[in-house]
Amino acid sequence: MLKPQLHAACLAFVEQRMATCQAAIDAAQESANSETKSSAGDKYETGRAMAQNERDRNAVQLHEAKQLLGELQRIDPARPCDAVRPGALVTTSMGRFYVSISAGKFAIDGVDYFAVSGAAPVAQALSGKRAGEQVTFNGKPVRIEAVA
């Protein structure tokens, strides 16, 4: 059962990303809170503004990570797929793809799998196709060997 393993790896990726963003938000808030008013008032305001900007930037990244989590939660890795769609594990002549979220490469039992978003160009090219079909991606023919 590869799909549940890949799904779990994607969940771990998102949870790590969320934890990192939350830690950065907390650190920026702590930095802003610890700025003390000095005789150089502009320095104080600049430090607080920089900390606020950092906090805001990480808050946006946290929001994006929560959206990825939502996308993953809509996928049932136990559900078999006969065509390429979110949740499909696709073996092609150019690699193996888990259509879910953009999380990069995972190695399971020495085999590389790429977690890609349904909006990724490769997923768009493969979308709706079945095992045995062929598509053209980046000017090259790609054969779909299996869809699970």
Side-chain angles (χ1 to χ4, degrees), residues 63-107:
H63 177 73
E64 291 169 355
K66 286 180 180 178
Q67 287 180 317
L68 290 178
L69 180 62
E71 289 177 36
L72 271 178
Q73 289 172 335
R74 286 190 290 277
I75 294 173
D76 177 4
R79 182 176 167 207
C81 299
D82 58 353
V84 179
R85 62 170 181 75
L89 176 58
V90 187
T91 303
T92 71
S93 57
M94 66 179 223
R96 294 171 182 85
F97 303 93
Y98 179 50
V99 183
S100 55
I101 63 166
S102 181
K105 180 168 75 169
F106 297 106

Side-chain angles (χ1 to χ4, degrees), residues 13-14 17-18 21 56-72 101-102:
F13 170 84
V14 170
R17 192 166 163 185
M18 288 172 51
C21 290
D56 292 347
R57 185 178 61 78
N58 282 293
V60 167
Q61 290 180 353
L62 178 61
H63 177 73
E64 291 169 355
K66 286 180 180 178
Q67 287 180 317
L68 290 178
L69 180 62
E71 289 177 36
L72 271 178
I101 63 166
S102 181

